[in-house]
Amino acid sequence: MTFVFLPSAQAAVPVAGSTELFPVHRIYCVGRNYAEHAIEMGGTGREAPFFFMKPADAVLPVTDGSIGVMPYPPMTQDLQHEIELVVAIGRGGKDIAVEDAVAHIWGYAIGLDMTRRDLQGAAKKLGRPWCTGKGFDYSAPIGPLHRHAPTGTISLHVNGMPVQTSVLGNMIWSVAETIAELSTLFELQAGDLIFTGTPAGVAAVKRGDLLEGRIEGLGSLQVRIDQ
Ligand code: MN
């Protein structure tokens, strides 16, 4: 017996300064991990963050120095940007202690948790899942992985204008706390990516816009929304 299709390609992310690719297992995302963003989303900024997922093949890998092109997704009038620090897991585990969490990290990258906000908003109102708002094709543009931990500022410019700016220290759950928390719910595996949440300033993008995310120590991630 033979299959009538070929297996799809393994989703993968570039590695900085190398031709190696990091194979992606799962994509976890943290919701409302910066108080100011939680408030702009209608929360108080004091609730605990939470998790959702995107499919692994939602990644849109962008190599160093190039501009990724993201197709404008169907069925939305409100595609929004969320700049985020992404953590790549190199060693799996469950019930990981906060003080052991950093040893499970393989690297760090800049990512965009692109969101069909209108579909997400409708789902929230009806108590339905977020898959269509968050987990669509090409919804996770990501730059190359770096081995060292970043500190300092995270920002996003759209067409050269600053729209999101914060410091990584403003995260409600630190990277180590996020890994510890997530590992109580799922057994983490090598290849998992964790989008660690976005600061305030999320807004709509339009066709042709140039997004440039920066995190101190990780360079920049450039993505153009296709015409
Ligand atoms: Mn997000």
Side-chain angles (χ1 to χ4, degrees):
M1 194 181 118
T2 55
F3 292 107
V4 294
F5 58 88
L6 294 170
S8 56
Q10 167 70 51
V13 171
V15 174
S18 159
T19 54
E20 267 187 292
L21 292 174
F22 180 90
V24 179
H25 177 246
R26 289 182 184 169
I27 304 175
Y28 296 102
C29 303
V30 185
R32 300 187 181 180
N33 200 22
Y34 291 77
E36 295 296 319
H37 171 64
I39 291 165
E40 77 179 347
M41 288 288 105
T44 66
R46 284 189 294 274
E47 301 95 341
F50 55 88
F51 298 104
F52 60 92
M53 293 174 81
K54 292 178 189 263
D57 67 353
V59 286
L60 173 62
V62 182
T63 53
D64 242 339
S66 67
I67 301 178
V69 177
M70 179 186 172
Y72 195 96
M75 301 302 285
T76 183
Q77 314 295 330
D78 192 15
L79 175 65
Q80 295 201 359
H81 56 72
E82 296 191 0
I83 188 69
E84 310 202 358
L85 170 67
V86 180
V87 176
I89 298 296
R91 183 157 63 82
K94 52 184 175 183
D95 298 322
I96 297 167
V98 174
E99 54 273 22
D100 298 334
V102 170
H104 291 259
I105 298 172
W106 194 90
Y108 302 84
I110 308 172
L112 283 161
D113 167 16
M114 298 303 290
T115 302
R116 290 193 283 209
R117 194 73 71 199
D118 42 3
L119 299 192
Q120 184 202 23
K124 277 186 200 172
K125 216 171 281 173
L126 294 166
R128 289 181 181 168
W130 285 11
C131 311
T132 59
K134 287 289 196 179
F136 54 95
D137 299 339
Y138 312 107
S139 62
I142 182 168
L145 286 169
H146 295 254
R147 299 306 299 270
H148 57 269
T151 52
T153 61
I154 175 170
S155 67
L156 181 73
H157 287 67
V158 177
N159 303 325
M161 299 293 290
V163 289
Q164 292 188 269
T165 309
S166 190
V167 293
L168 296 174
N170 281 346
M171 288 195 286
I172 296 170
W173 282 341
S174 68
V175 167
E177 288 167 337
T178 298
I179 290 169
E181 191 72 29
L182 187 59
S183 76
T184 67
L185 292 157
F186 303 94
E187 179 167 354
L188 296 182
Q189 303 286 346
D192 287 341
L193 299 179
I194 307 171
F195 279 65
T196 59
T198 198
V202 300
V205 297
K206 46 187 197 318
R207 289 177 172 81
D209 280 353
L210 180 65
L211 283 57
E212 184 177 7
R214 295 179 201 150
I215 294 178
E216 243 179 290
L218 301 183
S220 74
L221 166 68
Q222 288 189 290
V223 174
R224 185 170 300 279
I225 310 300
D226 205 5
Q227 285 295 339

